[in-house]
Amino acid sequence: MRNFILNEKIKLRRKTLIELARATINNNLKKELPKLSKKILPGNEAKYRESIYQEREILNQRIKIYLGMDYEKSKDMEMYEVAENIDEILEKNSKYSNSSKILQIIEEACDVCPSNKYYVTDLCRNCIEHSCKSVCPKNAITIENSKAKIDLDKCIGCGLCARACSYYSIVKLERPCENSCELKAITKNPNGTPKIEEEKCVNCGSCYIACPFGAIESKLDLIKVLNRIKKDNKRSVIAIFAPSVAGQFGPKVTIGQIKNGLKRAGFNKAYEVALGADMVAEEESEYIENSNELVTTSCCPAFVDYIKKHQKDYIKNISPSDSPMIALAKKIKEEEDCEIVFIGPCIAKKNEDINREIVDYVITFEELGALFISCGVEPAEIEDVDYEGSFDGWNFAHSGGVAQAVINKLEGKEISCIKMDGLKESKELFSKLKNEKFDLMEGMACEGGCICGPGIMVNPNVANAVLKKIKK
Ligand code: SF4
Ligand code: SF4
């Protein structure tokens, strides 16, 4: 399960989002944009890079992505140009965005980390054995200044030297982005920066979490949403929030307070996606009852994409049900002419309804945090209201919850289930399907489920504790 750490990278992203959101709410965005990076990174001292000017230049590239712009289309635009064109940039289907590209690599931010290379650390004691040198098949190790040295041009990355050293003094350096991708979807551009292979990538967000330099960002709708809710418009704007919202604003903030907070922030209405989860569990249980074939769950878009891109033989087994987000949004739009904003922990959701016909905008919990702050909403301090959705619907938030909800709907009918908890064991699990018969496969691309998604704000243990208290 994901170990959430509130690190400097996340703090910088939050600070930037809050500044952007405040400027939007105060109708100051156009004026503030050209100097925003200086406001966020003041002074003359660089904190993370060679110079403060480089840091601000990288921050400006981030700001453009946070405004919903595509990196390739906007990388050469100066901030004053961005400010001049801000109205057009914030249009729903702006020409500056790219509807299908969720993950954006900021080349200027990438440190071009070494990959699959071995290094000798200061732990080397220049022992008598020199087993590292003896074992190397390419004679890449010499002893210089009483220390082993690896010739990186000769090294083939076999790792025999690291295993031979009794002091563990040789370490392997891997690229955090490449290493995090279970689907080997990250290769290299000729200049060494990473390249995401679209035909393999499922937008799980692991690389976005893993890059310590924040060089991989995700497209954002937050500023577009704020721009939309502060304008008078005949069409209402409705927020729908994922079950994993539980605990996102701390263990003491109730789901009812978050729901009420959304209305205070300016949404016309707010609904629980747990209601959509109940609809989906009902549909999937009926489908299983009437079918002899394996059914794979529909709620995780990265899992559905994984089957479409990596396990094509099972495309026919994907549940015919909509995801809970789509099921609920469709129902709301049948009854009301409105725009819908989905709020969740997921980056892959930004790609689920790619043409934004059913769900108009997708924001993460982190974006919601910035939205609340900019609107002066403190969920902990506002009145609690009731919320809807069954215990089973809310339990879609963590691994095992979807399968359990379907089993509970079947009321006693025995079914065999297999669960994919994270992409790590995906291949093994799918090969198991060739030899064993299962009725239901629950799939979650994030290990632990949605409470561990890339857009969360708290440690998943907090979310789990709050979910346990949901009314049965
Ligand atoms: S981990 Fe980040 S900084 Fe390192 S190569 Fe990958 S994208 Fe670049
Ligand atoms: S989003 Fe996931 S699948 Fe895509 S490149 Fe990153 S780690 Fe790989």
Side-chain angles (χ1 to χ4, degrees):
M1 199 156 77
R2 183 177 169 192
N3 180 22
F4 179 85
I5 298 169
L6 184 56
N7 55 39
E8 291 289 313
K9 176 182 87 174
I10 295 176
K11 284 183 191 165
L12 177 64
R13 184 163 60 227
R14 289 187 184 177
K15 190 175 176 190
T16 309
L17 288 178
I18 291 166
E19 289 295 342
L20 273 172
R22 277 197 181 126
T24 309
I25 286 292
N26 297 332
N27 282 322
N28 257 344
L29 192 56
K30 197 171 187 160
K31 203 169 138 214
E32 284 203 27
L33 271 177
K35 49 185 177 96
L36 199 59
S37 60
K38 194 168 181 187
K39 184 177 178 190
I40 295 167
L41 297 173
N44 299 318
E45 294 286 320
K47 210 170 162 192
Y48 318 104
R49 310 270 176 177
E50 273 178 22
S51 77
I52 190 73
Y53 304 105
Q54 189 193 12
E55 283 184 1
R56 287 186 196 135
E57 173 51 29
I58 293 170
L59 184 57
N60 280 335
Q61 298 295 11
R62 281 188 210 291
I63 289 172
K64 288 185 246 176
I65 292 170
Y66 296 172
L67 291 170
M69 301 173 86
D70 178 63
Y71 173 75
E72 289 301 329
K73 290 183 187 175
S74 68
K75 64 181 174 186
D76 296 326
M77 277 176 86
E78 298 290 341
M79 290 313 281
Y80 76 85
E81 286 178 80
V82 175
E84 273 170 16
N85 293 289
I86 194 67
D87 293 338
E88 221 180 324
I89 287 166
L90 295 183
E91 278 170 12
K92 188 177 160 196
N93 294 315
S94 157
K95 67 174 185 191
Y96 295 99
S97 66
N98 180 344
S99 57
S100 63
K101 203 159 153 229
I102 303 306
L103 287 161
Q104 314 258 328
I105 295 172
I106 305 174
E107 297 220 342
E108 295 86 338
C110 175
D111 202 50
V112 194
C113 309
S115 61
N116 202 23
K117 295 279 183 204
Y118 284 83
Y119 289 88
V120 183
T121 66
D122 286 346
L123 292 175
C124 173
R125 295 170 65 86
N126 192 20
C127 62
I128 295 177
E129 278 185 4
H130 285 163
S131 298
C132 56
K133 189 168 179 280
S134 312
V135 83
C136 177
K138 294 287 171 188
N139 290 326
I141 300 186
T142 49
I143 308 297
E144 289 177 27
N145 300 324
S146 306
K147 195 179 164 195
K149 187 172 179 223
I150 301 175
D151 181 341
L152 293 179
D153 292 333
K154 288 186 183 169
C155 171
I156 52 166
C158 66
L160 288 173
C161 55
R163 288 198 285 280
C165 175
S166 308
Y167 296 109
Y168 307 104
S169 73
I170 300 179
V171 295
K172 185 182 184 186
L173 278 191
E174 288 175 304
R175 281 193 162 193
C177 57
E178 263 179 57
N179 199 30
S180 71
C181 182
E182 299 291 348
L183 305 178
K184 306 272 169 268
I186 301 187
T187 55
K188 285 190 189 75
N189 285 312
N191 65 359
T193 56
K195 180 174 178 219
I196 296 179
E197 305 285 344
E198 301 294 329
E199 64 281 6
K200 288 188 187 164
C201 172
V202 298
N203 291 304
C204 68
S206 295
C207 54
Y208 159 86
I209 297 169
C211 173
F213 281 90
I216 303 181
E217 283 285 4
S218 114
K219 188 182 94 168
L220 258 67
D221 279 344
L222 170 69
I223 305 305
K224 291 185 180 187
V225 169
L226 274 169
N227 202 37
R228 179 63 191 81
I229 59 178
K230 76 185 176 65
K231 275 190 192 143
D232 278 338
N233 196 306
K234 281 195 189 112
R235 290 182 90 198
S236 54
V237 189
I238 296 181
I240 61 174
F241 51 97
S244 44
V245 80
Q248 292 301 319
F249 293 89
K252 292 192 178 144
V253 177
T254 66
I255 290 162
Q257 284 175 307
I258 298 171
K259 182 175 178 175
N260 202 5
L262 288 165
K263 291 193 215 151
R264 294 267 181 100
F267 290 97
N268 297 86
K269 289 178 190 164
Y271 292 107
E272 304 76 358
V273 174
L275 292 166
D278 285 334
M279 287 152 61
V280 169
E282 185 76 51
E283 265 184 44
E284 285 184 347
S285 62
E286 278 171 23
Y287 191 72
I288 287 171
E289 265 196 313
N290 300 315
S291 156
N292 216 7
E293 294 288 320
L294 168 81
V295 179
T296 65
T297 51
S298 64
C299 52
C300 171
F303 173 61
V304 173
D305 232 23
Y306 169 73
I307 298 177
K308 288 181 182 167
K309 290 180 176 171
H310 298 266
Q311 301 289 348
K312 294 190 175 135
D313 288 351
Y314 293 93
I315 292 178
K316 61 181 187 324
N317 299 89
I318 297 172
S319 165
S321 306
D322 286 321
S323 70
M325 170 184 89
I326 298 288
L328 180 66
K330 274 185 181 170
K331 190 162 190 298
I332 295 170
K333 282 202 169 172
E334 268 166 30
E335 290 160 13
E336 193 168 340
D337 180 29
C338 63
E339 283 180 87
I340 292 187
V341 181
F342 171 79
I343 304 165
C346 187
I347 281 176
K349 282 279 181 207
K350 297 184 183 205
N351 224 21
E352 190 175 339
D353 176 20
I354 199 164
N355 294 321
R356 295 280 184 266
E357 279 168 9
I358 303 160
V359 174
D360 298 82
Y361 303 98
V362 173
I363 65 171
T364 61
F365 295 139
E366 198 174 42
E367 290 167 71
L368 175 63
L371 185 146
F372 275 163
I373 291 173
S374 65
C375 296
V377 173
E378 176 47 83
E381 288 168 8
I382 60 180
E383 193 193 334
D384 195 8
V385 294
D386 214 357
Y387 57 88
E388 295 180 82
S390 72
F391 179 74
D392 281 347
W394 281 97
N395 262 341
F396 268 51
H398 43 199
S399 290
V402 186
Q404 193 56 54
V406 172
I407 291 167
N408 292 349
K409 292 270 182 223
L410 287 165
E411 291 172 347
K413 184 182 175 201
E414 294 237 333
I415 60 163
S416 53
C417 285
I418 181 166
K419 291 171 198 159
M420 191 195 96
D421 186 15
L423 288 165
K424 203 172 185 173
E425 287 163 7
S426 51
K427 259 194 192 163
E428 263 172 59
L429 287 173
F430 271 85
S431 57
K432 217 171 168 189
L433 295 181
K434 294 201 169 70
N435 308 315
E436 277 181 67
K437 167 136 179 40
F438 294 95
D439 299 302
L440 177 67
M441 183 181 212
E442 181 198 276
M444 296 276 188
C446 297
E447 192 186 337
C450 306
I451 52 167
C452 301
I456 57 168
M457 295 231 289
V458 291
N459 194 296
N461 290 332
V462 178
N464 261 333
V466 177
L467 281 167
K468 277 191 192 137
K469 290 189 221 149
I470 300 263
K471 57 190 175 186
K472 299 224 178 186

